[in-house]
Amino acid sequence: MKTLYPYLLAAMVLMSACRKTRYYSRSQIVPNMLTPIDANKNVAFAASFTLAWNEMKQQVGAPINNKAKAVKWMNDSPVSGDILGPKEFKRDVRIKGAEITMLVNFQRELGFDVPMQPLKEPFTFNGKAVKAFGMVDYDPEIVAETHLVYYRDEDHFVMSLDSKDKSSDIILAKGFNKGAQLHVILQQIQGAIRKGTNIKAYASLKIPVLKFQEEEHFKELEGIDFKAKGKPYKIMTARQKTLFTLDQEGARVVDSAIIEAVSTDSVEVMRPPNLVFDKPFVVLLQKKKSPFPYFMLKVENDEIMDANRE
């Protein structure tokens, strides 16, 4: 089995403007979990931007006081002290005059101990043929590293996948993509996990291969003026670049309101279910026992999947 060196790299740069790169039209990155999201787009969040924002506040020695909603969402963005340990990410904060440059790096390995099976049979996501992986032929080693933690029916369930990094989990939640913010979706998933299930066995597991690559300029933050201890500052550029892949080897990440209620009543079934991620779902990467993920991806469409033309 090949050795994986996946890592999470995120950057928040507050300096001279640079060119924006767009890879997709139906996908986006948000700077925090409180920003309103597009219901029809794939949406990614990495905690690095919020950590960088909080580091900036510490460096200037005062809160970022601005009445813009985007600033309020950043200031109120929920993160916890255990989202990543102090030795698990690097920060480079430089303040020169009114210009602030900030870089935050995460490095994680989230490969599977036992690779899953690439699917050779046809698989569709929202009716589109795409490449996938999982477990079609029973493999006790794959079963041992994949755990069904909530099950209502074959359109509403949550899986927890073990990784080589024993401090982190990969969580996949199907049927929990509705919400005005990622934070709302996260709360729904957490509620389902607390509810739990008595169902542990399953007949098959099928997950589409994901490849998300996007660079986003947060225009709602660019141009923001604020004062800290009487000194003026201006955010010239705020951007984040994210590359995320999920396949049979594991997850790899490089990262330079009105709620539609979802019932969480567990329903027992007589036969082992087929766990097929063929409709919108959510990916969470988080440390064990942490209340917040350090990476979250709402998978809404096939734009970030490989078409299967075989």
Side-chain angles (χ1 to χ4, degrees):
M1 187 180 87
K2 63 182 180 180
T3 301
L4 297 176
Y5 296 97
Y7 57 95
L8 184 77
L9 169 64
M12 174 185 181
V13 182
L14 311 178
M15 50 189 297
S16 60
C18 64
R19 188 176 180 181
K20 177 181 180 180
T21 303
R22 291 295 281 177
Y23 299 94
Y24 305 116
S25 61
R26 294 182 289 152
S27 305
Q28 68 178 127
I29 302 172
V30 292
N32 56 68
M33 287 191 287
L34 299 180
T35 297
I37 60 176
D38 190 320
N40 298 314
K41 286 186 176 182
N42 304 309
V43 181
F45 157 80
S48 54
F49 200 86
T50 300
L51 292 172
W53 183 272
N54 292 342
E55 182 75 9
M56 180 177 67
K57 291 191 293 184
Q58 292 180 10
Q59 290 293 319
V60 300
I64 309 304
N65 292 319
N66 187 291
K67 295 183 179 179
K69 287 183 178 179
V71 173
K72 176 176 173 54
W73 293 330
M74 287 304 309
N75 288 334
D76 295 344
S77 182
V79 294
S80 62
D82 59 356
I83 196 167
L84 284 171
K87 296 182 179 180
E88 293 179 299
F89 66 99
K90 299 178 181 179
R91 17 195 210 289
D92 182 10
V93 180
R94 301 176 186 178
I95 300 177
K96 184 178 180 180
E99 293 184 350
I100 302 174
T101 302
M102 192 170 303
L103 178 66
V104 179
N105 298 292
F106 296 78
Q107 296 188 1
R108 315 292 291 167
E109 181 169 348
L110 296 171
F112 299 132
D113 281 323
V114 178
M116 295 194 194
Q117 303 163 359
L119 264 61
K120 297 180 181 180
E121 62 185 47
F123 178 90
T124 61
F125 180 87
N126 280 346
K128 300 290 183 65
V130 297
K131 293 181 179 179
F133 66 97
M135 187 191 74
V136 177
D137 299 322
Y138 180 78
D139 186 327
E141 292 185 303
I142 293 178
V143 170
E145 67 181 10
T146 58
H147 315 285
L148 185 58
V149 295
Y150 169 77
Y151 184 86
R152 191 183 94 185
D153 53 42
E154 292 187 352
D155 284 329
H156 301 86
F157 59 88
V158 181
M159 297 288 296
S160 176
L161 313 180
D162 295 337
S163 69
K164 289 180 180 179
D165 179 349
K166 301 306 179 183
S167 69
S168 291
D169 287 324
I170 303 169
I171 297 173
L172 306 180
K174 181 182 179 182
F176 294 87
N177 60 309
K178 303 298 183 182
Q181 306 160 315
L182 289 182
H183 188 238
V184 172
I185 295 174
L186 176 64
Q187 290 178 320
Q188 295 174 1
I189 295 171
Q190 291 173 334
I193 293 174
R194 287 193 296 269
K195 186 72 175 179
T197 180
N198 292 327
I199 299 173
K200 301 301 179 182
Y202 57 89
S204 66
L205 174 63
K206 302 177 184 179
I207 306 167
V209 173
L210 301 180
K211 293 183 179 180
F212 179 95
Q213 182 177 349
E214 186 63 287
E215 181 175 335
E216 195 81 53
H217 275 244
F218 302 125
K219 294 186 178 299
E220 64 273 24
L221 293 172
E222 293 179 338
I224 292 292
D225 293 296
F226 66 93
K227 286 187 176 181
K229 294 185 176 180
K231 185 175 182 178
Y233 294 92
K234 185 174 184 177
I235 299 177
M236 300 302 297
T237 297
R239 77 175 188 266
Q240 189 167 17
K241 184 175 182 178
T242 299
L243 168 64
F244 171 80
T245 65
L246 178 67
D247 58 27
Q248 65 267 18
E249 298 284 354
R252 296 179 293 284
V253 186
V254 180
D255 184 85
S256 98
I258 294 177
I259 303 175
E260 181 175 335
V262 177
S263 173
T264 57
D265 293 332
S266 294
V267 178
E268 301 300 326
V269 294
M270 298 302 294
R271 59 176 176 79
N274 292 300
L275 305 180
V276 183
F277 290 87
D278 56 351
K279 297 178 182 177
F281 63 98
V282 176
V283 181
L284 303 175
L285 307 182
Q286 66 183 61
K287 295 186 67 176
K288 295 182 184 296
K289 299 182 180 180
S290 175
F292 300 107
Y294 52 82
F295 180 80
M296 183 172 181
L297 175 64
K298 178 175 77 80
V299 182
E300 197 69 33
N301 60 68
D302 64 303
E303 186 177 49
I304 58 175
M305 301 175 189
D306 279 346
N308 192 347
R309 298 182 175 88
E310 296 179 359

